[in-house]
Amino acid sequence: MNTVADPLLAHVLRHGDRALVLSQRLGQWITHAPELEEDMALANISLDLLGQARHLYTYAGELEGQGHDEDHFAYWRTSTEFLNPLLVEQPNGDFAHTMIRQVLHDHAALLYWQSMTTSRDQTLAALAVRARNETEFHLRHCRGWVVRLGDGTDESHRRAQAGLDALWPYAEELITAPADDAALRSDGLIGDDIADAWRADVAATMAEATLTLPVGVTAQSGGWTGHHSEHLEGLLQELQEVASAFPGAKW
Amino acid sequence: MTIHAQQRFDSLIEADERIEPDDWMPEEYRQTLVRQIAQHAHSEIIGMQPEGAWISRAPSLHRKAILIAKVQDEAGHGLYLYGAAESLGTTRAELLDRLHTRRQKYSSIFNYPTPTWADVGAIGWLVDGAAIANQVPLCRCSFGPYGRAMVRICKEESFHQRQGFQILLRLTEGTAEQKQMAQEALNRWWWPSVMMFGPPDSESVHNARNMAWGIKRFTNDELRQGFVDMTVPQAELLGLTIPDPELRWNDERGHYDFGEPDWEEFARMVRGEGDLPEQRLRVRREAHENGAWVREAAAAYAARQRQAA
């Protein structure tokens, strides 16, 4: 569970972890994608997210003031110390599943980074401009796929709908701010609430994709405070495998 | 007509100018290029596998980022090369089918295992180093689209080679365990890299014709010598030992002398014996087959959009 006392540090780690865990998931697609172009695109999105995570972790190290670098936060924390939302740790599933996960995420990420461009925190505001521009591309790419799959063949529609049904319980958490964000918001360190805008954007995308938003689903949450699904543990074991075998080594 | 076209082709080759896709060319020239470019493209995309497998485990975020970018470049190289081959009239789908059904090969270098992080370094340093030695002359290949694709590919390959060298440099500066990991990776990859230039000139069947056509600019043995000469000082810089007792500088020749690779092993690797070639092709085929419904959906959607327009 979350033991980070400083709300700004917790916030920065949440979004660093969100970006790193999703980057790791997308990296698993490389050499398995349906087209060579898609190997490239998924690698590219993975790389952008990794870049965002690295900036956020470096800043977290500054905020924390204990001399930790970016690798400390990625390689030397346990799964209960990770504060990413549950959606991004969910397994890749098939291509439709991955694209649905990505579009739900990217709609939230775009609104989030847009809102952060006016943060009073200069570091975050500067990163937000770059991350917003990157996320615009990611969203365009993945939204295009969700529409093509939803409105493609019977099989692709069925798979896209199955992905949406499976992942929808994890979607709301993306836009449900943890309690300690409230103080940051009133201090102008983080931007406006994005929940309503996200719901409208997602509804529009799914309508164009001829997909049906599930109703009456019990939302899952806990990721932002370190309560994870079983999937995160395996993901981190792989990510940390080499580094943890050589404590103190430089790479 | 054909005589005239043949004369024009010959004079372009003679003048060391470029043949373009719309130019007449001998059928054998075309087929040789399709085979060579396709094999090169297949090698790029199969080569993504051994390194791609380490993306998830890269031991620092910096290394992870560089490795993702490198593997992404390789997918890009595959795309340019399939594009160059398509300009000769064979589609990417057909070429992939030939790869998947073992009618075309990829470089057998990717049939060696990569058991440690140091192998990622060794692939970059040695395999990409050998690839550069092979490919720089291809920038002047007589077939225009291939030569131009190679210009860009070579630039990126030199970045890849540096990243491999950097991985090993950090390991050799590190703990005794890390240094040993680097030496063991060099032991594994040295001879396979030396063999990447193909059989000795005395046994290479296409050397002379491909040189006359301006597809090949140096013989296998010349390229191999250049690679060894370039790499030995780099190994010294790393403080690693090249696993060849016969390796020594020859003042008279102005080159390093080196031992004879195990050509029997080379032949076995080219034949694709062992589990790893099967695994490489299985990953490729599964990606392709699992993606069929995605490609169909994209085509169906595009067709409907065109109808509506």
Side-chain angles (χ1 to χ4, degrees):
Chain A
M1 58 172 283
N2 177 28
T3 53
V4 180
D6 172 8
L8 185 59
L9 175 58
H11 182 90
V12 169
L13 285 174
R14 283 184 180 116
H15 288 279
D17 294 345
R18 166 177 64 74
L20 178 67
V21 170
L22 189 54
S23 168
Q24 182 79 358
R25 279 284 181 237
L26 293 177
Q28 292 167 342
W29 266 105
I30 297 170
T31 72
H32 302 284
E35 286 271 29
L36 208 40
E37 285 83 349
E38 214 47 37
D39 273 321
M40 288 184 77
L42 293 169
N44 197 49
I45 298 172
S46 174
L47 189 56
D48 283 346
L49 287 165
L50 179 57
Q52 293 169 14
R54 293 178 66 191
H55 275 99
L56 289 162
Y57 286 155
T58 299
Y59 189 42
E62 289 170 27
L63 291 171
E64 190 196 41
Q66 293 180 28
H68 287 145
D69 65 4
E70 57 179 26
D71 286 337
H72 167 80
F73 297 102
Y75 291 95
W76 300 100
R77 288 185 303 151
T78 64
S79 61
T80 55
E81 293 171 284
F82 269 72
L83 303 176
N84 56 277
L86 299 176
L87 180 82
V88 295
E89 70 200 40
Q90 299 308 307
N92 285 336
D94 64 14
F95 186 71
H97 200 93
T98 290
M99 285 297 129
I100 293 282
R101 183 183 64 200
Q102 197 65 31
V103 91
L104 293 171
H105 169 272
D106 287 348
H107 272 304
L110 182 60
L111 291 163
Y112 168 73
W113 286 120
Q114 176 60 40
S115 79
M116 290 299 288
T117 58
T118 54
S119 168
R120 279 202 309 112
D121 184 304
Q122 296 298 307
T123 304
L124 291 177
L127 172 60
V129 172
R130 186 183 126 171
R132 177 197 59 196
N133 295 344
E134 290 171 347
T135 310
E136 268 177 5
F137 278 104
H138 306 168
L139 178 60
R140 191 184 307 165
H141 183 80
C142 299
R143 190 180 189 281
W145 270 116
V146 166
V147 170
R148 278 194 291 274
L149 296 177
D151 196 15
T153 61
D154 288 346
E155 180 177 10
S156 69
H157 178 86
R158 179 176 57 70
R159 287 174 181 266
Q161 186 64 53
L164 182 57
D165 292 346
L167 292 165
W168 190 245
Y170 306 102
E172 280 279 320
E173 188 189 14
L174 287 171
I175 48 148
T176 310
D180 49 4
D181 268 4
L184 300 175
R185 185 159 290 134
S186 56
D187 287 346
L189 292 170
I190 64 173
D192 293 336
D193 188 83
I194 61 170
D196 290 341
W198 178 84
R199 286 196 191 91
D201 290 349
V202 168
T205 293
M206 298 310 168
E208 192 181 338
T210 70
L211 297 173
T212 309
L213 287 178
V215 287
V217 176
T218 308
Q220 304 288 318
S221 64
W224 292 128
T225 50
H227 301 278
H228 292 281
S229 63
E230 65 196 62
H231 304 298
L232 183 63
E233 185 62 35
L235 179 143
L236 290 178
Q237 266 175 17
E238 191 179 8
L239 188 146
Q240 298 171 343
E241 179 187 311
V242 178
S244 62
F246 298 87
K250 298 261 182 283
W251 303 97
Chain B
M1 167 74 183
T2 308
I3 292 170
H4 178 72
Q6 174 83 50
Q7 278 169 350
R8 182 163 180 280
F9 175 84
D10 291 344
S11 65
L12 284 172
I13 295 286
E14 178 73 20
D16 206 7
E17 286 181 27
R18 297 293 174 99
I19 308 298
E20 296 299 334
D22 291 339
D23 292 339
W24 182 89
M25 62 188 84
E27 194 49 30
E28 238 187 309
Y29 176 88
R30 182 186 300 273
Q31 291 314 323
T32 297
L33 277 163
V34 168
R35 192 175 58 240
Q36 179 171 337
I37 298 171
Q39 175 166 336
H40 190 168
H42 300 331
S43 303
E44 293 283 357
I45 67 167
I46 294 287
M48 291 164 67
Q49 288 184 29
E51 292 177 296
W54 282 94
I55 288 174
S56 63
R57 292 173 286 170
S60 77
L61 297 183
H62 175 64
R63 293 282 165 222
K64 189 193 281 286
I66 294 175
L67 189 57
I68 295 174
K70 178 179 195 273
V71 176
Q72 191 186 9
D73 282 348
E74 281 155 6
H77 296 175
L79 280 178
Y80 317 144
L81 289 165
Y82 285 122
E86 285 194 319
S87 75
L88 289 162
T90 313
T91 64
R92 195 204 315 178
E94 166 62 22
L95 295 173
L96 283 173
D97 190 55
R98 289 181 195 174
L99 169 66
H100 298 158
T101 54
R102 290 179 177 264
R103 284 177 294 148
Q104 280 181 337
K105 291 184 189 301
Y106 56 88
S107 171
S108 55
I109 194 74
F110 299 116
N111 290 338
Y112 289 91
T114 48
T116 72
W117 171 250
D119 292 83
V120 178
I123 290 179
W125 174 41
L126 296 173
V127 174
D128 292 333
I132 291 169
N134 242 331
Q135 290 170 6
V136 165
L138 287 174
C139 297
R140 296 190 289 123
C141 172
S142 58
F143 184 58
Y146 191 31
R148 288 188 290 272
M150 291 317 302
V151 171
R152 180 155 174 196
I153 289 173
C154 283
K155 280 184 192 155
E156 294 179 348
E157 290 293 351
S158 74
F159 151 77
H160 297 172
Q161 201 217 0
R162 269 206 303 281
Q163 71 89 34
F165 186 82
Q166 288 293 334
I167 287 175
L168 292 176
L169 187 61
R170 289 311 283 267
L171 292 176
T172 56
E173 291 167 350
T175 63
E177 235 179 332
Q178 283 178 300
K179 186 162 184 185
Q180 189 189 343
M181 196 198 284
Q183 180 64 54
E184 286 171 359
L186 171 57
N187 296 348
R188 276 191 288 277
W189 288 93
W190 174 254
W191 288 112
S193 302
V194 169
M195 291 191 280
M196 271 179 73
F197 299 92
D201 292 349
S202 54
E203 288 167 38
S204 179
V205 278
H206 298 307
N207 252 340
R209 192 196 60 189
N210 288 352
M211 288 187 67
W213 270 342
I215 294 175
K216 217 172 154 66
R217 299 285 176 172
F218 298 98
T219 70
N220 293 355
D221 286 336
E222 285 167 345
L223 292 166
R224 192 175 353 261
Q225 182 71 60
F227 169 73
V228 172
D229 290 347
M230 172 183 82
T231 310
V232 173
Q234 296 172 357
E236 285 167 1
L237 207 66
L238 290 170
L240 296 176
T241 307
I242 289 177
D244 178 358
E246 294 174 48
L247 184 76
R248 63 182 56 83
W249 177 253
N250 182 329
D251 235 351
E252 219 167 285
R253 293 203 306 125
H255 292 292
Y256 284 92
D257 291 338
F258 54 97
E260 197 63 31
D262 180 353
W263 292 113
E264 289 286 316
E265 180 194 288
F266 179 73
R268 279 196 302 277
M269 295 311 277
V270 170
R271 284 197 300 271
E273 291 179 10
D275 295 340
L276 214 44
E278 196 45 54
Q279 181 191 319
R280 300 274 185 252
L281 277 180
R282 189 173 62 240
V283 168
R284 227 354 276 167
R285 278 196 295 258
E286 279 175 6
H288 192 72
E289 286 161 13
N290 292 342
W293 66 269
V294 177
R295 297 189 298 274
E296 282 161 21
Y301 181 80
R304 250 202 318 282
Q305 295 299 109
R306 274 196 302 275
Q307 261 173 11

